Amino acid sequence: FPDVYRLEFGFAIPGRPILVDDVRVRGTGRTDFNAEMKLQPSGTLPRIETVTNCYFENGYLDTNVYLLEELSCDHTIPGPAIIIDRNSTILVEPDCTATVTELGDVRISVGHAKRANVGTFLDPIQLSIFSHRFMSIAEQMGRILQRTAISTNIKERLDFSCALFGPDGGLVSNAPHIPVHLGAMQETVQFQIKALGENLKNGDVILSNHPCEGGSHLPDLTVITPVFAAGSEWPVFFVANRGHHADIGGITPGSMPPHSTALDQEGAVFSSFKVVQDGEFQEKAVVEALLAPGLKSGNSGTRRLQDNLADLRAQVAANHKGIQLVTELIEAYTLEVVQAYMGHIQKNAERAVRETLRAFARSKLRAVTTTSSSLRVQAEDFMDDGTPIRLKIEIDPGNGSAVFDFSGTGLEVYGNCNAPRAITLSALIYCLRCLVGQDIPLNQGCLAPVHLLIPEGSLLAPSEQAAVVGGNVLTSQRVVDVIFKAFEVCAASQGCMNNVTFGDDECGYYETVAGGSGAGPNWHGRSGVHTHMTNTRITDPEILEKRFVKENLGGTM
């Protein structure tokens, strides 16, 4: 059991007794009666029904067509060929051979035709293949996280994101999960690389949620695992996921206090915390950290400790699946090829963003009489308390680069609508990806043409102890509205993720309930949908009813 557990989750929990919860016995029986009829050799060559022209990798080839009912156990059919039955069609590809067994089954032996080696040079077909394989890694990580998690927030609402990062911490690919997580996670991974350096070891898993280290807000716990190749001293990739925990302590249940004014009122804080070290889950240290907020007057430790621990283990398991898939990819192609196509995919995204910015700038410059060699646009919006978010964009139509300058944005506020720099980065990379008129993966390359300026001490770059829990769910949406307003692509949406949170001393509940989407040049707005930086489900009422009955009445629905 410990070996299977380590294979599934990627770590061990020492000192735990194994409890046998269920024992099953399976009985099998065998009879000597055999209803299958053996075929008799025909002694003749297989009859060709017709010959057709089929397209394969090397072009069109003459392809023999056979009827399965006329084939016998002494027939061998070289590819290319087609074998037709009443209910199916079997294709025998070139360099493959089909034989019919005594029981009438068709066995196909795959040949060993010479295949073109995949090199580090850019090939359009391989670019598409690697793009989808990288994306598949993140998607499969997400499925593992959803399957093994226990909390409603992750398992039902899908408030999580998974992604793959390069050795420099740059985003390579992500599954289409929560936009507000994705750009921010890159900042988190890059911070850990700088902070830990050579202290990043194989078998370690890092936990972080601090807003000044790439975090969004404290309930979003990010789990990062380095991926080492055989013989490598430095990680060749990183896999990471970020999941929203319904409660991690703080002054109110749900860890989303509407009136918080300091970071330590919003729950447990993790910096470069090794949740797994040398392959062992550090449960005692994690429990102490999650309960630590309760040591301060007026605060509480986490109200859902077992959910936290279960979900953290699920997050580690999701990363473990990512490591397995990355390792398989490296074994199939070599590390040099995989990392080369990582670079090609990022450069492809950069090229697409540059072309989009260049086209936008040239179209606007043509519409006005100006001698300027660059395009300058601006926009502003206001928070509910009147704090401005101001943006000036200067685009160079020559090389497609742009400066996004948020100077003029209001100062850090006493409440919790301050948004860490990583939030603005997520909003920017999301908007740029939306503006690109082609299907490209969202990755680090999208930000390569962009220079971001945010004044320190402002609403979008608050101090280390500033409260930020509302900045992730409200200010992020306003930033998106301002960026789209500058590009004149659509009207503002709801400008908030609309949060609902409640609980008591023993439990906390949280979710976002969506709102309205702004109209555009060719589409109407919509009501009651998640927009922009949020992309979660709403919890089914049955989930809440079932959980309430189980925990409060001790029964079942």
Side-chain angles (χ1 to χ4, degrees):
F1 179 83
D3 292 339
V4 175
Y5 189 94
R6 184 184 292 273
L7 182 65
E8 176 72 15
F9 289 91
F11 61 87
I13 304 179
R16 286 287 189 89
I18 298 174
L19 175 65
V20 180
D21 182 73
D22 186 30
V23 176
R24 299 184 184 186
V25 178
R26 175 179 294 174
T28 60
R30 187 179 67 181
T31 176
D32 292 332
F33 176 74
N34 188 356
E36 293 179 321
M37 300 294 293
K38 291 185 178 181
L39 298 179
Q40 298 298 320
S42 65
T44 61
L45 294 175
R47 187 183 72 85
I48 299 174
E49 178 70 16
T50 186
V51 178
T52 187
N53 211 236
C54 290
Y55 187 86
F56 295 95
E57 185 176 1
N58 296 322
Y60 284 97
L61 295 175
D62 289 338
T63 305
N64 295 334
V65 179
Y66 302 87
L67 299 180
L68 181 60
E69 61 188 20
E70 296 183 1
L71 298 181
S72 300
C73 58
D74 58 344
H75 287 157
T76 299
I77 299 172
I82 296 175
I83 302 174
I84 298 177
D85 192 9
R86 290 186 178 89
N87 301 313
S88 62
T89 300
I90 302 171
L91 175 67
V92 184
E93 296 194 39
D95 199 48
C96 297
T97 302
T99 55
V100 182
T101 68
E102 290 183 343
L103 298 177
D105 300 321
V106 178
R107 179 185 291 116
I108 298 179
S109 301
V110 180
H112 300 283
K114 183 178 179 181
R115 297 183 179 180
N117 293 325
V118 179
T120 57
F121 56 89
L122 176 60
D123 178 83
I125 295 177
Q126 292 298 331
L127 182 69
S128 177
I129 291 173
F130 272 95
S131 177
H132 284 86
R133 293 201 68 164
F134 286 143
M135 179 74 74
S136 175
I137 291 173
E139 289 174 342
Q140 291 187 63
M141 289 171 60
R143 283 192 286 272
I144 291 293
L145 179 53
Q146 182 186 5
R147 181 171 65 85
T148 55
I150 195 172
S151 71
T152 301
N153 262 28
I154 294 179
K155 197 172 192 69
E156 304 294 338
R157 287 187 54 240
L158 307 184
D159 195 346
F160 65 83
S161 296
C162 301
L164 174 68
F165 302 84
D168 62 348
L171 180 63
V172 176
S173 68
N174 61 269
H177 292 145
I178 313 300
V180 77
H181 291 167
L182 298 170
M185 269 207 288
Q186 174 175 297
E187 293 273 294
T188 305
V189 175
Q190 291 175 338
F191 177 88
Q192 300 306 326
I193 292 174
K194 295 176 183 177
L196 296 176
E198 296 181 357
N199 198 26
L200 276 171
K201 305 295 183 182
N202 197 6
D204 291 347
V205 181
I206 313 303
L207 172 62
S208 177
N209 70 342
H210 198 292
C212 291
E213 300 170 5
S216 45
H217 57 185
L218 295 187
D220 284 339
L221 299 186
T222 304
V223 174
I224 306 164
T225 308
V227 182
F228 289 83
S232 66
E233 297 182 358
W234 180 255
V236 295
F237 283 96
F238 289 87
V239 288
N241 65 78
R242 176 169 291 180
H244 186 109
H245 288 236
D247 199 296
I248 57 167
I251 59 176
T252 61
S255 301
M256 294 285 294
H259 54 281
S260 59
T261 57
L263 188 66
D264 57 10
Q265 296 175 333
E266 297 176 349
V269 181
F270 297 91
S271 184
S272 298
F273 187 95
K274 290 194 175 182
V275 65
V276 176
Q277 188 166 12
D278 298 327
E280 293 187 356
F281 188 79
Q282 305 298 303
E283 182 170 327
K284 182 179 179 181
V286 173
V287 171
E288 291 177 356
L290 288 170
L291 296 178
L295 301 176
K296 184 176 179 180
S297 176
N299 263 17
S300 170
T302 177
R303 302 162 182 86
R304 303 295 309 177
L305 178 60
Q306 294 307 314
D307 281 11
N308 296 140
L309 294 176
D311 286 349
L312 283 173
R313 295 189 188 110
Q315 288 182 264
V316 175
N319 283 1
H320 185 61
K321 179 64 174 180
I323 292 174
Q324 292 176 334
L325 296 172
V326 171
T327 302
E328 292 174 3
L329 190 62
I330 292 173
E331 291 174 350
Y333 289 96
T334 74
L335 176 61
E336 291 75 17
V337 170
V338 174
Q339 289 190 334
Y341 272 92
M342 173 195 72
H344 294 325
I345 289 170
Q346 291 173 335
K347 289 179 181 178
N348 184 54
E350 176 186 349
R351 187 181 304 111
V353 171
R354 286 189 185 276
E355 291 176 356
T356 298
L357 293 173
R358 186 183 296 115
F360 173 77
R362 289 176 176 174
S363 66
K364 291 296 182 181
L365 289 173
R366 282 196 301 267
V368 296
T369 303
T370 178
T371 58
S372 175
S373 60
S374 62
L375 174 69
R376 294 179 177 86
V377 295
Q378 61 185 21
E380 70 175 0
D381 199 351
F382 297 88
M383 302 293 290
D384 293 353
D385 63 357
T387 302
I389 299 176
R390 293 192 175 98
L391 171 63
K392 297 178 181 178
I393 307 175
E394 183 174 354
I395 304 175
D396 184 345
N399 59 17
S401 62
V403 176
F404 286 73
D405 186 359
F406 283 92
S407 298
T409 295
L411 297 176
E412 171 186 323
V413 296
Y414 185 62
N416 59 31
C417 284
N418 303 292
R421 170 187 164 87
I423 296 296
T424 303
L425 198 68
S426 288
L428 179 56
I429 195 173
Y430 162 77
C431 290
L432 291 173
R433 174 61 186 84
C434 289
L435 291 171
V436 173
Q438 54 184 287
D439 187 15
I440 62 167
L442 189 152
N443 59 48
Q444 182 188 27
C446 295
L447 291 176
V450 171
H451 182 54
L452 180 62
L453 298 176
I454 304 176
E456 292 295 328
S458 69
L459 183 74
L460 305 181
S463 58
E464 189 171 341
Q465 291 302 317
V468 298
V469 73
N472 181 63
V473 295
L474 196 157
T475 311
S476 64
Q477 299 282 61
R478 300 290 172 86
V479 172
V480 170
D481 286 343
V482 171
I483 295 174
F484 282 151
K485 184 178 181 180
F487 283 96
E488 300 177 356
V489 293
C490 66
S493 295
Q494 58 178 321
C496 180
M497 295 183 190
N498 298 344
N499 304 269
V500 173
T501 178
F502 59 85
D504 55 25
D505 292 340
E506 297 181 355
C507 71
Y509 173 81
Y510 163 79
E511 75 171 305
T512 55
V513 295
S517 173
N522 303 311
W523 69 88
H524 297 294
R526 297 187 64 185
S527 302
V529 294
H530 279 270
T531 59
H532 301 320
M533 305 307 282
T534 174
N535 188 32
T536 64
R537 291 179 180 172
I538 190 169
T539 305
D540 293 330
E542 293 80 8
I543 298 295
L544 297 178
E545 293 167 356
K546 181 178 180 180
R547 190 155 191 161
F548 176 82
V549 170
K550 181 179 180 181
E551 295 181 357
N552 295 279
L553 304 181
T556 58
M557 292 294 291

